[in-house]
Amino acid sequence: MKEKHTTAKLKTRLQQSVAGLRQDENGLAAIEFAILAPLLISMYFGLAEIASAVAVDRAVSHATNVIGDLASQTSNLDKDDLEDVLSATIRVMNIENASGATIQIDSWARDSDGKNTLVGSAVMNSGSAPLPSFDPAGVDGAMMTENSGILVARIAYNYSPLKFMYMKQDFTMSDTFILKPRRSSEVTFGSTDGKTYSCTGSGKTVSCS
C-alpha cells in the first residue's frame, strides 16, 4: 500500500514538472534568436553588398553621361580640356583611384556616301578595364548624318565588391552614351585632323598627351 502511494506521488510530481516545463517560457527568445540570427545576418550582408554595387553602377552610368555632356558643349577639345573633363568625370564616379577605370571618348562623322570617319578620340588608361563595344555603322541615319556627327562616351570600371558573403569576385561595370554636338556639326580633338589622345589617370588626376 505504501509503495503504491509513493508511486502515485512520484507520478504526480512528474506530471507537475512536465506541466511546469510547458508553461516556462524562460530562454524562448534566445532560442528564436539563435535560429533566426544566421538568416538575418546573411540578409544584412547580402543587402550591403547589393546596395554598394548598385551605387557604383549608378555612378558609372552618371559619369558616362557627364563626360559626354561636357565634351559635346565645345567644337574642339584640346589637351587641357580633356584633362579637365576626365578629372571631373573621375570625381563624379567618386572612386579612390582612377587606375581601375578605362574611359574613351570618340567623335564620329558621316559623309554623303555613308562613310564613317573618326574625327577625334581620347582614351584614358587603355586596357585597364574592357570597354563595351561600339560600331558606328549601327547608328541610325537620322542621328548621324553628313551634316551632324556624334560623340560616343564609354566607361568601364573594375569593381571590387565588399566580398562579405555572396560577391566573392571582382567584375566590370560599364556603360555607353551617344550624344549630339551642341555647338558645331562635329567635335574635333586638338585639330581638324582628328587627333587621338592617350591619357593616364592615377588617383584623381589625369595627364594626356
Side-chain angles (χ1 to χ4, degrees):
M1 188 73 173
K2 184 176 181 181
E3 183 178 349
K4 289 183 179 181
H5 180 68
T6 302
T7 302
K9 288 178 66 178
L10 289 173
K11 184 177 180 181
T12 301
R13 288 179 181 176
L14 181 59
Q15 290 174 341
Q16 290 175 346
S17 298
V18 171
L21 288 173
R22 288 177 177 174
Q23 296 174 0
D24 189 2
E25 296 183 356
N26 291 333
L28 184 60
I31 294 173
E32 291 176 347
F33 178 77
I35 295 172
L36 294 176
L39 176 61
L40 294 175
I41 292 172
S42 64
M43 289 177 61
Y44 173 80
F45 285 125
L47 288 173
E49 288 178 331
I50 292 172
S52 177
V54 169
V56 174
D57 184 63
R58 287 182 177 178
V60 169
S61 294
H62 182 49
T64 311
N65 185 22
V66 166
I67 191 171
D69 182 59
L70 292 175
S72 67
Q73 297 184 40
T74 182
S75 60
N76 180 268
L77 287 167
D78 59 19
K79 173 180 174 296
D80 293 336
D81 293 332
L82 284 169
E83 290 176 351
D84 290 341
V85 168
L86 288 168
S87 295
T89 303
I90 292 170
R91 284 167 171 76
V92 168
M93 289 179 66
N94 195 28
I95 55 178
E96 293 297 325
N97 195 337
S99 61
T102 296
I103 302 175
Q104 182 163 342
I105 317 172
D106 296 321
S107 180
W108 290 91
R110 180 175 290 172
D111 62 22
S112 57
D113 296 327
K115 180 182 177 181
N116 299 312
T117 304
L118 188 65
V119 296
S121 181
V123 184
M124 186 193 83
N125 297 337
S126 178
S128 292
L131 288 167
S133 60
F134 174 77
D135 184 1
V139 178
D140 191 280
M143 185 172 189
M144 183 166 63
T145 69
E146 59 182 294
N147 298 315
S148 180
I150 59 170
L151 268 173
V152 181
R154 291 179 288 167
I155 293 181
Y157 176 57
N158 292 321
Y159 174 64
S160 181
L162 298 176
K163 298 179 181 179
F164 287 146
M165 295 187 68
Y166 304 105
M167 297 181 182
K168 298 296 186 181
Q169 296 180 343
D170 297 351
F171 56 92
T172 301
M173 293 182 173
S174 61
D175 208 343
T176 300
F177 269 76
I178 302 175
L179 300 97
K180 299 287 292 181
R182 299 188 181 184
R183 298 188 177 182
S184 60
S185 61
E186 59 189 42
V187 178
T188 56
F189 285 52
S191 69
T192 56
D193 297 330
K195 184 174 181 178
T196 297
Y197 285 92
S198 177
C199 305
T200 301
S202 180
K204 292 185 181 296
T205 60
V206 179
S207 176
C208 296
S209 60

